[in-house]
Amino acid sequence: MEPAIETRHVTRILQEAVPVTLVKDINLKIAPGEFVSVTGPSGSGKSSLLYLLGLLDVPTEGEVLIDGQSTAGLERAELAALRLEKLGFVFQFHFLLPEFSVAQNVMLPMQRLGRLSEKEIKERAAELLDYFEIGEQGTKRPDQLSGGQRQRVAIARALANNPKIILADEPTGNLDTKNSDIVRDIFVRLARDEGMTVVAVTHDTDFADAADRNVHLVDGMVARS
Amino acid sequence: MLFSRVNFQIAFAHLLNRRRQSLVSVLGVALGVGFFIGTSSLMQGSENDFVSRLVDSQPHITVKDEFREPARQPLFTIFQEGAVALKGVKPREYLRGIKNYKGKLEQLEAIEGVIAAPGLSGASIVRYGGEERNVSILGIDPDVEPRLTTIEEDMREGSLDALKTTADGIVIGKGLSDRLHLNMGDLASVIAPSGNVVLMKVVGIFRAGNILLDEGQAYVLLKDAQVLFNKPNIADRLRIKLPDPNTALEFSRQLEQRWDYKAESWQEVNEDILGLFVVRNAILYSIVSAIMIVASFGIFNIISTVVMEKRRDIAILMSMGFRARDIRAIFLIQGFVVGIIGMLTGWGVGIGLISTLASIEFDVEGLIDAQGFPLDYGFTQFVIAGIFALASAVLAAWLPAHRASQVRPVDIIRGAA
């Protein structure tokens, strides 16, 4: 079976006064439905790798393949289209848009994609919020929610367009133990029950242990996989 | 798709989230638009008023018994290349006047809508009660004159028609009447350069609102003028009114080519004044552009601030799959919306200004009489102001919008995490 994500000799160097190598010669194959945690000390290139997998950044060398399709040489707009349809992001901070209600935040990616009618979009947003047991919070503004609730809204937003791949950058980094457990369980459920490919950067050892596989980075290189 | 609903939603959310700043930038545009409409209505109004006074109060074209080029001496025609000098030449004295003016009049009147009348003008002195004034006398046809000029509307006492019924009647201006204490029915001596003195009876007093005319112009019958100036059966000018005043320049050139006589259109006579209007309009538009530039700085400012504040949101929208051009559209829409609302509010301000100005009444006496502001309610100013407002709003939004579209989400997200 085609890997959901594959990297071939991916290297990313920041061209600054003194060039900084973020990641070096990364070769990974992540199968569909696999839950992979990425760990490593600070500055080991975990987040940089995630941004490369998420097509937010472009490798200096090598290529990233999504669903077997190479993304090398694609225009920014084409990368955006791939992100819109196939990828969902969850960050350490919820990054919800403060002007919009919780439900509207979840609706935005669907409206951008424009594949569903406005009514269907509303229904799907409500379903997603229900799924994460925050259905009754839909009309509230993000700042009226607790940290854990906000992170669940962010996950619901990442799932809005039913992507195949969820990329998470320290999704529990800002949460207390109880909420961390909830969020971790959600990711496990997404991989096991919904068959989604999940790649999560984490410091949280419980979180890392819950994954099918752990990729450990040191100095921008894969130390253990 | 670029201006899709979701982009509009986000743009509106940004604007509504900063209601006060949005309002201020809308007001900036609105004031610019409003003042533009107010001042240009005033400017255009006074220009139209002035031009229509010019056009209505005078014949559109006057053909005079003059030539643009002085007659060439035959000597110079014969020896075109030669070094010839001619000294002490005395101009031939010839009887001035337009040759066969009646035939020319018939030609003119044959053209649809053209009104033409002969005239004979000359300098004279009007003496009454020991006082004298230089007055230009114009011999006219009272039947045609009202269609050539607005003189009949300006009559304060008596009428032009009285010239026909009174022997040696004269119509004078109010200014002259005041200076010489010369009133209706009084007999004044009119002295021509030829030495003729005719006692003339005042049968009408007009007030054109133009001091030059009111103090220095008088009208008599053409026939009486011919007697006064010793020029029997002579007219020294043909005064012409056209159906469309704008064709006067072209028509006057044709006439001049055909008859050789100097034909002056109203545009030519008033070239300097019309030139002033061009300068005045240029000043108006530069002032308004300045207002608009200030207003667009306001827009630039608010959208730049939004872009700075929303960098994180921009990054997250991009990570969701919003393209760079969606982001640019979101901020351009904001400029556009501010421009549209500013334009509409500005139209309201403009209408308010115009109606306020229109309600002010005052009397100015001078070269031209005015009662209140002459205003122009033209649709054009609204359109021009609208285009100005929208263009400057979108231009002002372009730079920050473009900068927003260049945000690299990784830089923002990495920094925030």
Side-chain angles (χ1 to χ4, degrees):
Chain A
M1 191 156 49
E2 203 90 68
I5 308 175
E6 185 180 352
T7 63
R8 291 181 186 161
H9 307 291
V10 164
T11 298
R12 176 75 174 104
I13 298 166
L14 273 190
Q15 297 298 344
E16 289 177 8
V18 181
V20 181
T21 304
L22 298 174
V23 292
K24 198 175 172 188
D25 197 29
I26 305 276
N27 291 288
L28 283 175
K29 278 186 185 172
I30 299 169
E34 199 178 3
F35 181 2
V36 177
S37 67
V38 181
T39 56
S42 293
S44 58
K46 308 185 292 290
S47 296
S48 301
L49 175 61
L50 196 80
Y51 302 148
L52 287 164
L53 299 182
L55 311 179
L56 285 176
D57 202 358
V58 184
T60 316
E61 280 169 45
E63 59 175 341
V64 177
L65 293 88
I66 303 289
D67 266 348
Q69 185 198 342
S70 172
T71 61
L74 291 186
E75 299 280 326
R76 282 177 77 193
E78 292 169 315
L79 294 176
L82 271 177
R83 284 200 297 272
L84 184 65
E85 217 176 322
K86 300 203 166 162
L87 304 174
F89 282 96
V90 178
F91 300 99
Q92 180 175 2
F93 296 98
H94 56 82
F95 286 150
L96 297 173
L97 303 191
E99 296 91 357
F100 289 95
S101 75
V102 163
Q104 281 172 323
N105 263 288
V106 179
M107 287 160 68
L108 281 176
M110 293 187 266
Q111 289 169 323
R112 175 69 260 281
L113 189 62
R115 217 166 263 172
L116 300 176
S117 73
E118 198 63 17
K119 185 166 161 277
E120 290 167 320
I121 288 173
K122 258 190 195 126
E123 282 169 5
R124 174 152 173 82
E127 272 169 38
L128 280 166
L129 291 175
D130 279 340
Y131 184 83
F132 294 117
E133 293 161 15
I134 39 175
E136 67 284 359
Q137 315 288 346
T139 56
K140 288 189 182 169
R141 302 267 144 184
D143 57 10
Q144 292 170 301
L145 267 55
S146 74
Q149 287 173 323
R150 274 183 250 178
Q151 196 58 308
R152 278 181 273 164
V153 177
I155 297 170
R157 181 178 63 182
L159 296 177
N161 282 335
N162 205 9
K164 292 199 170 133
I165 301 160
I166 296 287
L167 299 164
D169 191 3
E170 304 266 15
T172 59
N174 230 13
L175 300 177
D176 58 24
T177 324
K178 185 171 146 259
N179 279 307
S180 293
D181 289 347
I182 295 172
V183 168
R184 188 190 62 222
D185 289 345
I186 288 170
F187 280 101
V188 172
R189 223 158 78 201
L190 289 177
R192 303 278 143 76
D193 303 348
E194 312 290 337
M196 287 186 178
T197 311
V198 177
V199 181
V201 166
T202 187
H203 267 117
D204 181 343
T205 41
D206 287 346
F207 196 100
D209 291 344
D212 301 327
R213 176 154 70 112
N214 175 252
V215 174
H216 192 75
L217 292 184
V218 174
D219 293 338
M221 288 187 282
V222 178
R224 172 160 41 81
S225 176
Chain B
M1 267 312 276
L2 208 52
F3 292 96
S4 62
R5 209 175 130 185
V6 59
N7 290 353
F8 269 100
Q9 276 179 357
I10 297 170
F12 275 102
H14 283 170
L15 284 175
L16 289 177
N17 199 40
R18 310 174 59 92
R19 251 166 254 228
R20 224 179 49 202
Q21 282 105 318
S22 305
L23 201 70
V24 168
S25 42
V26 163
L27 272 182
V29 177
L31 286 181
V33 169
F35 281 118
F36 174 83
I37 291 172
T39 42
S40 69
S41 138
L42 206 56
M43 295 281 204
Q44 194 60 50
S46 63
E47 180 178 333
N48 290 352
D49 181 69
F50 199 89
V51 169
S52 77
R53 274 167 196 258
L54 280 183
V55 169
D56 293 344
S57 64
Q58 308 168 354
H60 296 156
I61 298 173
T62 306
V63 181
K64 291 181 178 167
D65 60 343
E66 298 166 11
F67 305 96
R68 268 185 218 273
E69 303 281 334
R72 279 169 77 88
Q73 292 293 331
L75 190 64
F76 291 107
T77 317
I78 295 165
F79 300 103
Q80 289 204 6
E81 308 284 323
V84 184
L86 201 58
K87 284 185 180 168
V89 179
K90 194 175 159 218
R92 187 160 57 104
E93 245 185 67
Y94 65 101
L95 196 58
R96 306 223 350 181
I98 291 176
K99 279 181 193 152
N100 185 22
Y101 76 86
K102 282 177 182 152
K104 294 192 167 66
L105 266 183
E106 272 166 27
Q107 285 180 35
L108 284 170
E109 277 165 348
I111 306 169
E112 177 93 35
V114 172
I115 300 160
L120 175 61
S121 119
S124 72
I125 293 168
V126 175
R127 179 190 294 158
Y128 182 69
E131 274 198 80
E132 293 174 352
R133 308 232 29 125
N134 291 325
V135 174
S136 161
I137 301 254
L138 181 61
I140 57 160
D141 177 351
D143 290 331
V144 187
E145 194 63 21
R147 287 185 286 157
L148 277 177
T149 65
T150 49
I151 177 74
E152 197 169 61
E153 294 162 26
D154 297 329
M155 294 304 294
R156 295 295 154 102
E157 286 179 85
S159 69
L160 283 179
D161 278 341
L163 289 174
K164 290 190 290 187
T165 53
T166 313
D168 290 336
I170 187 168
V171 172
I172 60 169
K174 184 86 177 92
L176 187 65
S177 159
D178 290 345
R179 299 276 159 151
L180 297 181
H181 308 293
L182 184 61
N183 295 313
M184 285 290 286
D186 292 342
L187 286 166
S189 312
V190 180
I191 302 145
S194 60
N196 279 357
V197 181
V198 179
L199 265 186
M200 287 188 148
K201 187 177 182 184
V202 177
V203 295
I205 295 174
F206 67 87
R207 182 158 171 240
N210 177 331
I211 291 172
L212 292 177
L213 288 178
D214 286 348
E215 288 192 1
Q217 183 72 55
Y219 297 92
V220 300
L221 274 189
L222 178 61
K223 172 171 66 67
D224 291 346
Q226 287 167 344
V227 172
L228 178 69
F229 295 121
N230 245 346
K231 292 180 178 172
N233 285 317
I234 284 178
D236 70 350
R237 59 194 57 209
L238 295 175
R239 298 154 76 225
I240 304 164
K241 202 99 180 177
L242 301 175
D244 177 5
N246 295 321
T247 58
L249 198 62
E250 177 59 28
F251 195 69
S252 70
R253 284 195 186 125
Q254 290 172 7
L255 287 183
E256 195 162 322
Q257 229 169 20
R258 199 190 314 170
W259 294 336
D260 265 356
Y261 287 118
K262 186 173 173 185
E264 286 176 337
S265 61
W266 64 272
Q267 288 104 320
E268 189 185 342
V269 174
N270 299 296
E271 205 168 13
D272 48 347
I273 295 174
L274 297 177
L276 272 182
F277 283 120
V278 175
V279 174
R280 216 173 64 144
N281 283 342
I283 293 172
L284 166 72
Y285 284 109
S286 31
I287 291 174
V288 170
S289 317
I291 299 178
M292 280 324 228
I293 287 169
V294 173
S296 52
F297 268 110
I299 296 174
F300 174 80
N301 202 25
I302 178 180
I303 294 177
S304 298
T305 319
V306 174
V307 168
M308 284 308 290
E309 274 183 11
K310 297 287 173 196
R311 282 167 70 84
R312 229 179 53 179
D313 292 4
I314 294 165
I316 204 71
L317 285 170
M318 282 179 157
S319 76
M320 260 183 228
F322 281 71
R323 293 160 298 178
R325 55 187 149 165
D326 290 310
I327 303 297
R328 194 185 300 135
I330 287 171
F331 291 98
L332 278 181
I333 288 169
Q334 295 182 32
F336 195 70
V337 167
V338 167
I340 287 266
I341 299 177
M343 176 185 85
L344 294 176
T345 324
W347 283 355
V349 173
I351 290 169
L353 263 176
I354 293 181
S355 33
T356 314
L357 288 173
S359 68
I360 300 173
E361 281 181 22
F362 53 80
D363 261 323
V364 180
E365 285 189 32
L367 199 62
I368 276 193
D369 273 3
Q371 289 90 31
F373 291 111
L375 293 165
D376 183 64
Y377 301 88
F379 184 61
T380 341
Q381 287 104 287
F382 286 80
V383 173
I384 293 176
I387 291 171
F388 246 114
L390 285 185
S392 56
V394 170
L395 272 180
W398 179 261
L399 204 65
H402 182 70
R403 214 171 47 200
S405 73
Q406 297 305 308
V407 161
R408 284 164 37 91
V410 174
D411 298 341
I412 313 292
I413 294 164
R414 201 198 305 273

